[in-house]
């Protein structure tokens, strides 16, 4: 067995593969974007075969760059965009339709029917999730209803359901599995027993024959074939859970925010499942094989970095994501302009699928600097709402906040985030914590590192942003933000 570790990060916008050495340093990395298929407002799809092909191609490229072969990898981890749903034919391995992406809102009516028929608490108590378009269960149901014959074929055992981790694991190992973190986002798994719940499976009408086997996140899953022949799959973690591991947030109360396509705050609650009174989700943080699962409270924001991409691709006032900082810096403040990026409704803490995006407070004085600034500030305001919910639920103030993901490169945003939270915001030396976390998991399971303590020592602080805003100014801004949120609600009428 080799002395390196590999990690696949199959994200919402791109797929990456990294090779990591026994010190935890990146040796090589390759990445590739895939198409966002947007057939109608509110619908978002990916092509599963494109995702698989890109994954295989980045694995090949990064192994080549490192000058090693798959057998030099002691183990490989998968981390993935969560909730995105695929159904495939077990015989051919081909997907029966495009994947329905986590941001897709086509299941809004179904989510409402589930809540009114079974009561939102039925789902919340068992799964830690409210019925919402976000989760995988309603997406499977939608596919089964939409395409003729799928129900029968699923019941006959011809079809397999899985989130992206399962789709990749099936093609890389031949096993039909998912890990506890990904399974905890389906609305079908009991958080306590870590198994599919018969009552919920019935409520959603998902044939049991199509469900994957649930396995621990960090533990040997099996030998790989094809491009990874010669090594083993030793970890599966949802992307936000992997980022928690990559931030070495192993102790109760350890909290991180990852700013990527969306923004996700996770706070480790140890072996306790904490149920939120404030609109947060309860979720599995990770599970090491042979140990109890660790849980987390999560605040999920659907749109963060993707609003910057929207400004670039749909509106065109910037050519690249980095440019937003320079344009936002042409003005001293937001000029009273607020932007609520409720493109997919609002997730935590509001859970309103009737909300849509609004840009408010415009006057003849407003310019593109104010709009760029409002787009960046929206991410910080949404994170502040999550943190307030977290403090309300746990009764614990945070000493500081660990952050990571693509948007932490934006200094203006990070300074504003520290100001609006009134907290130190801390960036680690590796901002790519998602893929690092999958590599940490894979290395622990493969015996490269003996346990989570050993990888904790590899975490290093790279930058710290200290708040300098007056409390009065913070309150004034938050009051503007909360009015803007009100304006975004009740837009879609059912
Ligand atoms: N300098 C920047 N300022 C603001 N936003 C940025 C900047 N650089 C990147 N971004 C945003 O960060 C996001 C990319 O970050 P990252 O790669 O962590 O995302 P991700 O969610 O992990 O991607 P994926 O969806 O593929 O997993 C993009 O949405 C991009 O618009
Ligand atoms: Mg990602």
């Amino acid at each position: 067995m080799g002395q390196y570790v590999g990690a696949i990060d199959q994200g919402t916008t791109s797929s990456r593969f990294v090779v990591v050495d026994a010190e935890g340093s990146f040796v090589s990395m390759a990445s590739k974007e895939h198409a966002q298929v947007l057939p109608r407002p509110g619908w978002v799809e990916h092509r599963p075969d494109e995702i698989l092909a890109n994954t295989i191609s980045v694995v090949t490229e990064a192994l080549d760059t490192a000058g090693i072969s798959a057998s030099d990898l002691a183990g490989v981890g998968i981390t993935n965009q969560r909730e995105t749903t695929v159904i495939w034919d077990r015989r051919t391995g081909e997907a029966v339709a495009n994947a329905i992406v986590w941001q897709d809102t086509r299941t809004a009516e179904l989510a409402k029917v589930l809540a009114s028929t079974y009561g939102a608490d039925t789902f919340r108590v068992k799964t830690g999730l409210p019925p919402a378009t976000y989760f995988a269960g309603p997406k499977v149901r939608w596919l089964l209803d939409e395409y003729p014959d799928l129900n029968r074929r699923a019941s006959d055992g011809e079809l397999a359901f899985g989130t992206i981790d399962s789709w990749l694991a099936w093609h890389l190992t031949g096993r039909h599995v998912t890990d506890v973190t990904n399974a905890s986002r389906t609305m079908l798994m009991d958080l306590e027993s870590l198994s599919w719940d018969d009552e919920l499976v019935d409520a959603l009408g998902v044939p049991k024959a199509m469900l994957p086997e649930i396995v621990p996140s960090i533990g040997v899953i099996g030998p790989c074939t094809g491009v990874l022949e010669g090594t083993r799959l030793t970890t599966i973690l949802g992307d936000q859970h992997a980022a928690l591991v990559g931030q070495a947030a192993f102790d109760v109360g350890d909290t991180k925010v990852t700013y990527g396509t969306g923004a996700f705050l996770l706070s480790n609650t140890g072996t306790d499942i904490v149920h939120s009174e404030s609109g947060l989700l309860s979720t599995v943080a990770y599970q090491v094989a042979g140990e109890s699962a660790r849980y987390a409270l999560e605040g999920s924001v659907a749109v963060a970095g993707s609003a910057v991409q929207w400004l670039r691709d749909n509106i065109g006032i910037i050519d690249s994501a980095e440019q937003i900082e320079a344009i936002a810096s042409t003005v001293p403040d937001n000029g009273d302009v607020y932007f609520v990026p409720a493109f997919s409704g609002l997730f935590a803490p509001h859970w309103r699928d009737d909300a849509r995006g609004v840009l408010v407070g415009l006057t003849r004085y407003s310019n593109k600097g104010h709009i760029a600034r409002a787009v960046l500030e929206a991410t910080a305001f949404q994170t502040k709402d999550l943190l307030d919910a977290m403090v309300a639920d746990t009764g614990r103030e945070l000493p500081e906040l660990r952050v990571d993901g693509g948007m932490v490169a934006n200094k203006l945003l990070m300074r504003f985030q520290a100001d609006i939270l009134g907290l130190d915001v801390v960036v680690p030396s590796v901002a790519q914590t998602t893929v690092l976390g999958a590599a940490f998991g894979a290395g622990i399971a493969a015996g490269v590192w003996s346990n989570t303590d050993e990888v904790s020592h590899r975490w290093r602080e790279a930058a710290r942003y200290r708040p300098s805003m007056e409390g009065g100014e913070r309150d004034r801004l938050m009051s503007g933000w909360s009015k803007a949120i009100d304006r975004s609600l009740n837009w879609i009428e059912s």
Side-chain angles (χ1 to χ4, degrees):
M1 269 305 160
Q3 66 279 40
Y4 298 98
V5 174
I8 295 168
D9 175 6
Q10 202 306 298
T12 310
T13 53
S14 67
S15 310
R16 298 189 183 111
F17 186 69
V18 300
V19 175
V20 170
D21 65 18
E23 301 303 310
S25 304
F26 287 16
V27 175
S28 69
M29 165 152 68
S31 74
K32 199 163 181 180
E33 290 205 6
H34 57 267
Q36 306 294 316
V37 182
L38 308 166
R40 308 186 193 180
W43 290 32
V44 187
E45 300 178 355
H46 292 159
R47 294 190 189 95
D49 54 343
E50 183 186 6
I51 280 180
L52 178 62
N54 286 3
T55 301
I56 291 170
S57 120
V58 294
V59 168
T60 310
E61 191 185 331
L63 287 176
D64 278 357
T65 308
I68 62 171
S69 66
S71 56
D72 295 314
L73 303 172
V76 170
I78 294 176
T79 180
N80 59 290
Q81 54 168 324
R82 307 173 299 170
E83 298 97 10
T84 298
T85 298
V86 191
I87 298 180
W88 66 94
D89 183 318
R90 289 183 190 275
R91 200 173 43 82
T92 63
E94 276 170 38
V96 300
N98 279 349
I100 303 184
V101 177
W102 57 276
Q103 301 146 317
D104 189 296
T105 57
R106 77 184 67 180
T107 54
E109 279 312 307
L110 182 54
K112 274 201 196 75
V113 170
L114 288 170
S116 61
T117 312
Y118 299 94
D121 279 351
T122 303
F123 291 96
R124 217 187 277 277
V125 169
K126 278 192 179 171
T127 69
L129 316 171
T133 59
Y134 181 21
F135 307 111
K139 299 182 198 291
V140 194
R141 183 66 251 155
W142 190 93
L143 285 168
L144 293 173
D145 287 338
E146 180 68 7
Y147 294 93
D149 224 27
L150 285 198
N151 252 319
R152 180 198 59 76
R153 293 178 62 204
S155 305
D156 288 352
E158 290 174 26
L159 302 178
F161 147 74
T163 39
I164 293 291
D165 54 309
S166 297
W167 168 249
L168 294 177
W170 197 85
H171 283 279
L172 294 172
T173 68
R175 282 193 71 187
H176 187 207
V177 292
T178 188
D179 89 302
V180 289
T181 65
N182 279 288
S184 80
R185 320 295 297 186
T186 56
M187 279 172 61
L188 299 169
M189 189 190 80
D190 183 313
L191 268 187
E192 229 168 275
S193 69
L194 304 173
S195 54
W196 303 120
D197 181 273
D198 287 333
E199 189 191 357
L200 301 176
V201 168
D202 279 352
L204 277 140
V206 176
K208 266 199 129 168
M210 75 189 307
L211 294 174
E213 181 189 340
I214 301 174
V215 299
S217 320
I218 299 175
V220 176
I221 293 165
C224 296
T225 55
V227 73
L228 283 170
E229 171 117 44
T231 185
R232 302 172 294 173
L233 182 61
T234 55
T235 278
I236 299 179
L237 279 163
D239 54 7
Q240 300 310 320
H241 315 258
L244 196 72
V245 171
Q247 284 274 20
F250 299 121
D251 294 329
V252 175
D254 284 355
T255 302
K256 67 86 194 174
V257 176
T258 302
Y259 303 93
T261 302
F264 300 86
L265 174 134
L266 268 75
S267 185
N268 189 324
T269 61
T271 51
D272 293 338
I273 302 171
V274 176
H275 285 280
S276 174
E277 304 285 321
S278 316
L280 302 178
L281 309 175
S282 313
T283 199
V284 179
Y286 58 90
Q287 183 189 23
V288 178
E291 296 181 14
S292 311
R294 305 303 155 103
Y295 295 90
L297 269 175
E298 170 175 330
S300 338
V301 159
V303 177
S306 60
V308 177
Q309 289 172 322
W310 173 81
L311 215 55
R312 180 193 66 191
D313 302 337
N314 298 39
I315 307 303
I317 67 174
I318 50 174
D319 296 324
S320 68
E322 300 75 59
Q323 255 185 24
I324 193 171
E325 186 165 1
I327 297 199
S329 303
T330 58
V331 291
D333 55 37
N334 67 9
D336 227 15
V337 174
Y338 293 83
F339 176 62
V340 181
F343 299 155
S344 311
L346 288 170
F347 288 6
H350 310 283
W351 298 106
R352 292 289 294 261
D353 54 37
D354 59 326
R356 283 300 178 271
V358 292
L359 183 62
V360 292
L362 297 174
T363 62
R364 184 67 181 81
Y365 165 81
S366 316
N367 62 36
K368 63 182 176 185
H370 297 115
I371 293 174
R373 204 161 180 117
V375 165
L376 284 180
E377 289 185 356
T379 290
F381 288 134
Q382 293 188 98
T383 303
K384 164 76 171 157
D385 286 343
L386 297 181
L387 220 74
D388 287 350
M390 187 74 73
V391 172
D393 276 341
T394 61
R396 242 196 324 255
E397 297 282 346
L398 282 187
E400 60 184 35
L401 183 66
R402 288 187 178 184
V403 300
D404 55 77
M407 292 184 95
V408 303
N410 195 304
K411 296 195 170 66
L412 186 144
L413 172 61
M414 290 299 107
R415 273 197 300 271
F416 187 76
Q417 184 70 85
D419 278 344
I420 211 71
L421 294 176
L423 275 184
D424 280 14
V425 165
V426 179
V427 183
S429 55
V430 179
Q432 301 246 23
T433 51
T434 302
V435 75
L436 181 66
F440 278 168
I444 291 170
V448 175
W449 301 298
S450 44
N451 51 35
T452 50
D453 277 350
E454 206 181 322
V455 300
S456 290
H457 300 311
R458 296 172 199 286
W459 188 94
R460 296 269 178 289
E461 177 174 327
R464 177 175 290 264
Y465 295 86
R466 294 193 166 83
S468 63
M469 186 180 274
E470 307 266 314
E473 175 65 355
R474 187 179 305 140
D475 293 346
R476 191 185 66 75
L477 286 161
M478 284 313 293
S479 133
W481 168 250
S482 114
K483 283 195 289 180
I485 288 278
D486 284 342
R487 302 295 193 273
S488 76
L489 303 178
N490 294 311
W491 187 260
I492 300 290
E493 288 160 26
S494 51

